[in-house]
């Protein structure tokens, strides 16, 4: 389909003297490729390097020498981390409490979502029931809906019933936000488990739930794990709903909210907040590299057509 | 939809015994049919039962709020009288008239469109370059690929904080570099200045610097997503196609234009829709970088301001609703246009 469109001069080419387009392009791209790769690496990674660098410096040394790209041993300073983690009552910024909140919210979101969506995804991929198509369509629509439109009524509701500041309310909202994408990815994976295996189990006397639990779920475990990690990251990183629901209650701030609120005030030094940034980014990076292979599959699985 | 779901039945397990049609084995048929339909009924019930919890959560936390948001958009609701409002207030079009005739909203809408178009385009462009550059295997490619994904997975709050520190006019690295190496006469307030005069070939051009900066941030943050998808697609292109073209003497740029590009177009189209939707709805990035100041107020940030700072719930809901409607229209138009192109090709 494409070869017919090729440049005729390139096709009928006995070795010509002088300018050779092929050789020129090959050489050009051979030079360009490493340059592009190095540039991309710098662009992608430098902000993280800078984050780590500033987190070990004091504010004074930053103000005196803003251009320094590395750090000398006598500048090296861990007090930023102590400051950012120490509870407010002891004069710190209380990130340890934010981390506890975030961990609680993210883990609950993962567990609750998987508990609800594994059977749901199984049903959508395996069982014929009334409205199956419509349900899938609804989930997909939810996934692309503007979060800000949902934020308005939820804000009104939580204000009316006085639930602002409640982590439980936040968890429920998170579950509803990720349930759709979770079902979508899991469904695609369940669809790859051969039906014949389940039929064999059914013939051997397994009930529907037993089959799901003993046959399909273990086979879909990679997808379940990557899905769980994906949900964890979403919940850990989420900002808008945390801002709307938790902002008045410092004790229930999540890490994202804590960092954004503190960075708005002038009293907390930038380098201390950089230590905070490292603390909230590090778990995500560790998780990501530990599970990169699984996760990359999970990220794309959701959008490929099943 | 209902017709399709009838068809979907066939795509499932093929029924061993047809449900209708003349059956010659008169003795066996009725019993088998009854068994089949009982199985069907059981399956239907099990399916609904298994999907019910998810459905319940989505209904409570998504569908009901959306309906409520629509109701709110047609009421004069303010944060102060929020406790008295219910579904049975007095309905009015005032919010929409107010919103659609205010220059601030139209400006925000335009900013949203510019932000989404350029953010999406840049992200996909960079992602494509990255995917092409890392196509051929070499030592360390795996770790490079993984680390290019970091901007996408890192918490947005931390990423925006580092960027605003880097761009800070007093102690930011970019301004330090600009002043000591590039010879800028004064620091640039990338995130709080609306227009920056830049002289180019003797011409003075006004650059909307804050908007350009947030677009760059968006490109930086989401190019890994495009990179990931395009890499996956590139791996599926059969090696033999490329090989054949090479033997026929096609140069690298010709092989890209005639072999790879046609294979990538559908993926790029899907990416465009996905990225456009997400950028269009984006609240976090701009709110955290500029707070919506200096000509970067997109509709999502404006909705938030109306809701929290002004306490005008009705107007906030109306604007969010208009945002969702415009997004739906744009996506539909795009899908129509693109779908037709596919048919022609």
């Amino acid at each position: 389909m494409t070869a017919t469109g090729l440049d005729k001069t390139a096709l009928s080419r006995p070795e010509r003297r002088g300018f050779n387009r092929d050789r020129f392009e090959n050489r050009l791209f051979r030079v360009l490729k490493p340059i592009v790769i190095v540039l991309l690496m710098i662009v992608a990674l430098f902000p993280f390097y800078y984050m780590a660098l500033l987190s070990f410096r004091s504010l004074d040394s930053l103000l005196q020498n803003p251009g320094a790209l590395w750090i000398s041993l006598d500048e090296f300073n861990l007090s930023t981390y102590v400051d950012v983690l120490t509870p407010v009552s002891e004069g710190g910024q209380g990130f340890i409490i934010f981390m506890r909140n975030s961990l609680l919210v993210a883990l609950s979101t993962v567990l609750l979502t998987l508990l609800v969506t594994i059977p749901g995804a199984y049903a959508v991929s395996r069982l014929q029931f009334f409205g199956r198509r419509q349900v899938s369509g609804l989930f997909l629509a939810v996934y692309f809906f503007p979060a800000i439109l949902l934020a308005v009524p939820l804000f009104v509701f939580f204000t009316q019933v006085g639930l602002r500041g409640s982590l439980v309310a936040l968890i429920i909202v998170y579950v509803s936000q990720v349930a759709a994408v979770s079902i979508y990815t899991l469904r695609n994976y369940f669809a790859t488990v051969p039906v014949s295996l389940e039929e064999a189990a059914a013939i051997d006397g397994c009930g529907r739930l037993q089959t799901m639990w003993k046959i399909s779920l273990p086979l879909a475990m990679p997808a379940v794990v990557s899905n769980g990690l994906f949900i964890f990251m979403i919940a850990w990183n989420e900002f808008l709903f945390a801002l709307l629901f938790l902002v008045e209650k410092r004790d229930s701030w999540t890490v994202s909210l804590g960092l954004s609120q503190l960075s708005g005030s002038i009293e907390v030094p930038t380098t201390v907040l950089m230590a905070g940034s490292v603390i909230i980014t590090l778990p995500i990076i560790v998780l990501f590299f530990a599970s990169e292979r699984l996760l990359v599959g999970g990220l794309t699985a959701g959008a490929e057509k099943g | 939809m209902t017709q399709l779901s009838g068809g979907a039945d066939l795509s499932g397990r093929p029924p061993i015994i047809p449900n209708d049609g003349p059956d010659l084995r008169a003795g066996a048929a009725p019993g088998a049919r009854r068994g089949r339909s009982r199985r069907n009924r059981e399956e239907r019930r099990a399916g609904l039962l298994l999907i019910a919890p998810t459905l319940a959560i989505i209904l409570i936390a998504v569908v009901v709020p959306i309906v409520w948001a629509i109701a709110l958009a047609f009421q004069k609701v303010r944060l102060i009288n929020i406790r008295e409002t219910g579904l049975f207030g007095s309905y009015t079009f005032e919010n929409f008239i107010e919103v659609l005739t205010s220059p601030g909203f139209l400006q925000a809408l335009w900013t949203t469109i510019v932000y989404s178009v350029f953010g999406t385009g840049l992200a996909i462009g960079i992602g494509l370059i990255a995917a092409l550059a890392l196509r051929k295997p070499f030592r360390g490619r795996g770790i490079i690929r993984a680390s290019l994904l970091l901007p996408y997975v890192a918490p947005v709050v931390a990423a925006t904080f580092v960027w605003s520190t880097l761009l800070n006019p007093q102690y930011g690295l970019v301004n330090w570099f600009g002043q000591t190496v590039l010879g800028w006469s004064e620091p640039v307030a990338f995130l709080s200045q609306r227009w920056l005069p830049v002289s180019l070939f003797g011409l003075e051009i006004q650059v909307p610097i804050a908007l350009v900066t947030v677009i760059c941030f968006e490109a930086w943050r989401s190019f890994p997503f495009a990179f990931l998808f395009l890499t996956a697609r590139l791996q599926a292109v059969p090696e033999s196609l490329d090989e054949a073209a090479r033997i026929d003497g096609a140069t690298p740029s010709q092989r890209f234009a005639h072999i790879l590009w046609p294979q990538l177009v559908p993926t790029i189209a899907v990416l465009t829709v996905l990225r456009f939707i997400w950028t269009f709805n984006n609240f976090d990035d701009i709110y955290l970088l500029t707070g919506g100041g200096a000509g970067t107020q997109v509709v999502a940030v404006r909705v938030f301001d109306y809701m929290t700072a002004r306490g005008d719930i009705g107007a906030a809901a109306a604007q969010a609703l208009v945002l969702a409607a415009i997004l739906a229209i744009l996506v539909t138009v795009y899908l129509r246009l693109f779908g037709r192109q596919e048919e022609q090709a």
Side-chain angles (χ1 to χ4, degrees):
Chain A
M1 77 202 143
T2 50
T4 52
L6 284 181
D7 203 325
K8 284 287 183 290
T9 55
L11 288 173
S12 57
R13 186 194 43 190
E15 275 305 313
R16 272 184 295 162
R17 276 165 291 129
F19 180 75
N20 181 329
R21 183 172 163 186
D22 191 43
R23 197 178 303 154
F24 168 74
E25 278 190 13
N26 274 318
R27 238 177 244 165
L28 178 71
F29 287 124
R30 198 171 304 143
V31 176
L32 272 182
K33 201 160 99 173
I35 298 176
V36 167
I37 293 175
V38 169
L39 269 180
L40 283 169
M41 291 287 286
I42 292 174
V43 167
L45 296 183
F46 181 75
F48 298 101
Y49 170 72
Y50 188 70
M51 184 196 284
L53 180 81
L54 287 202
S55 73
F56 294 119
R57 295 177 68 181
S58 68
L59 189 64
D60 287 340
S61 84
L62 169 67
L63 292 177
Q64 274 164 20
N65 190 3
L69 279 184
W70 43 84
I71 189 167
S72 58
L73 265 181
D74 50 307
E75 264 185 316
F76 191 83
N77 181 343
L78 278 178
S79 67
T80 49
Y81 283 89
V82 177
D83 185 8
V84 83
L85 285 174
T86 313
V88 186
S89 54
E90 289 157 45
Q93 308 304 333
F95 257 59
I96 199 87
I97 293 168
F98 304 159
M99 288 182 79
R100 188 205 63 194
N101 292 339
S102 273
L103 205 63
L104 191 75
V105 168
L107 285 179
S108 320
T109 307
V110 171
L111 288 180
L112 207 59
T113 308
L114 288 178
L115 195 70
V116 165
T117 56
I118 288 174
Y122 180 81
V124 172
S125 84
R126 274 287 186 271
L127 306 174
Q128 307 296 337
F129 61 89
F130 178 72
R132 188 175 83 138
R133 289 267 165 154
Q134 287 82 345
V135 164
S136 300
L138 173 73
F139 290 166
L140 208 58
V142 166
Y143 189 36
F144 293 119
F145 222 75
I148 194 77
L149 177 54
L150 277 181
V152 178
L154 290 175
F155 179 75
V156 172
F157 177 73
F158 287 132
T159 310
Q160 277 182 337
V161 295
L163 261 179
R164 283 183 41 202
S166 144
L167 290 178
V168 176
L170 191 69
I171 292 167
I172 293 172
V173 173
Y174 283 180
V175 171
S176 73
Q177 287 290 296
V178 296
V181 63
S182 173
I183 287 223
Y184 203 68
T185 37
L186 289 178
R187 182 195 78 169
N188 286 352
Y189 205 90
F190 274 127
T192 65
V193 175
V195 178
S196 56
L197 274 179
E198 289 176 12
E199 281 172 348
I203 288 166
D204 287 347
C206 276
R208 172 115 34 217
L209 282 178
Q210 226 178 345
T211 312
M212 194 180 91
W213 184 248
K214 289 193 172 154
I215 308 290
S216 314
L217 190 60
L219 285 170
M221 220 46 199
V224 172
V225 171
S226 79
N227 205 244
L229 288 166
F230 187 54
I231 296 168
F232 184 91
M233 287 189 184
I234 292 180
W236 181 272
N237 292 353
E238 206 281 336
F239 173 67
L240 170 61
F241 289 113
L243 174 65
L244 272 178
F245 300 152
L246 307 178
V247 75
E248 293 100 344
K249 231 171 116 185
R250 188 176 173 141
D251 288 345
S252 16
W253 284 358
T254 58
V255 279
S256 286
L257 182 61
L259 180 61
S260 77
Q261 289 305 108
L262 295 180
S263 68
S265 73
I266 347 161
E267 295 110 64
V268 189
T270 304
T271 52
V272 170
L273 290 178
M274 276 302 168
S277 303
V278 171
I279 289 172
I280 80 171
T281 311
L282 210 57
I284 296 294
I285 293 187
V286 169
L287 263 186
F288 174 71
F289 276 101
S291 60
E292 179 238 332
R293 229 154 258 197
L294 266 178
L295 201 68
V296 167
L299 281 174
T300 45
E304 272 167 31
K305 257 177 115 184
Chain B
M1 263 319 207
T2 40
Q3 276 179 330
L4 280 176
S5 65
D9 241 7
L10 295 176
S11 68
R13 233 166 299 165
I16 304 158
I17 296 162
N19 275 345
D20 39 29
D23 204 316
L24 297 176
R25 294 163 299 158
R33 191 183 299 167
R34 205 176 307 134
R36 168 89 192 148
S37 72
R38 192 184 304 136
R39 209 182 134 76
N40 272 348
R41 208 179 316 132
E42 189 269 334
E43 187 167 304
R44 236 174 283 143
R45 203 176 302 146
L48 282 175
L49 202 68
L50 290 177
I51 197 80
T54 318
L55 215 51
I57 286 186
I58 291 202
L59 280 178
I60 291 169
V62 181
V63 178
V64 171
I66 288 173
V67 174
W68 197 1
I70 296 171
L72 286 171
F74 289 98
Q75 287 172 297
K76 296 280 337 156
V77 191
R78 305 196 70 89
L79 202 56
I80 310 149
N81 59 17
I82 206 170
R83 281 181 196 278
E84 293 106 65
T85 46
L87 264 179
F88 308 101
S90 50
Y91 287 82
T92 159
F93 278 103
E94 262 177 64
N95 292 325
F96 286 94
I97 295 167
E98 185 192 316
V99 160
L100 291 172
T101 53
S102 81
F105 178 74
L106 298 178
Q107 179 61 44
L109 192 60
W110 178 242
T111 309
T112 311
I113 291 174
V114 171
Y115 172 67
S116 317
V117 168
F118 284 98
T120 303
L122 264 179
I124 296 179
I126 300 174
L128 178 63
I129 293 173
L132 288 172
L134 291 167
R135 190 170 170 225
K136 296 268 152 43
F138 56 87
R139 266 179 80 90
R141 184 178 69 160
I143 188 89
I144 290 181
R145 270 188 178 164
S147 47
L148 282 187
L149 297 178
L150 279 188
Y152 188 68
V153 297
V156 63
V157 181
T160 49
F161 183 60
V162 173
W163 267 63
S164 41
T165 307
L166 273 167
L167 299 171
N168 187 293
Q170 276 101 46
Y171 50 81
L173 187 73
V174 175
N175 273 306
W176 174 85
F177 187 79
Q179 282 176 301
T180 54
V181 181
L182 302 177
W184 299 350
S185 53
E186 52 188 52
V188 179
F190 286 95
L191 294 170
S192 52
Q193 190 173 341
R194 189 186 285 252
W195 296 104
L196 177 73
V198 174
S199 55
L200 204 71
F201 309 118
L203 271 166
E204 185 123 308
I205 304 170
Q206 294 285 335
V207 176
I209 187 68
L211 186 59
V212 168
T213 310
V214 293
I215 288 173
C216 288
F217 179 81
E218 167 62 26
W220 175 78
R221 197 167 148 68
S222 52
F223 91 85
F225 186 79
F227 164 67
L228 195 65
F229 272 73
L230 290 168
T231 297
R233 186 66 194 86
L234 275 177
Q235 276 169 344
V237 174
E239 195 63 34
S240 55
L241 271 180
D242 213 26
E243 198 64 40
R246 201 199 325 267
I247 289 166
D248 285 345
T251 68
S253 67
Q254 286 170 329
R255 291 205 302 271
F256 173 72
H258 299 289
I259 308 281
L260 290 182
W261 180 251
Q263 301 259 335
L264 292 177
V265 164
T267 310
I268 290 179
V270 173
L271 273 174
T272 308
V273 177
L274 290 179
R275 285 290 358 138
F276 187 85
I277 293 174
W278 282 323
T279 318
F280 202 80
N281 293 336
N282 195 341
F283 165 83
D284 299 358
D285 302 26
I286 289 186
Y287 179 81
L288 288 165
L289 281 172
T290 67
T296 59
Q297 194 188 48
V298 290
V299 176
V301 173
R302 192 176 161 85
V303 170
F304 184 84
D305 284 345
Y306 263 74
M307 183 163 57
T308 54
R310 295 201 192 189
D312 192 346
I313 303 286
Q319 295 181 71
L321 213 58
V322 173
L323 180 80
I326 290 174
L327 181 65
I329 293 169
L330 287 179
V331 171
T332 315
V333 167
Y334 177 88
L335 290 177
R336 282 273 163 80
L337 284 177
F338 184 76
R340 202 162 295 154
Q341 265 177 8
E342 277 293 89
E343 276 167 32
Q344 281 167 359

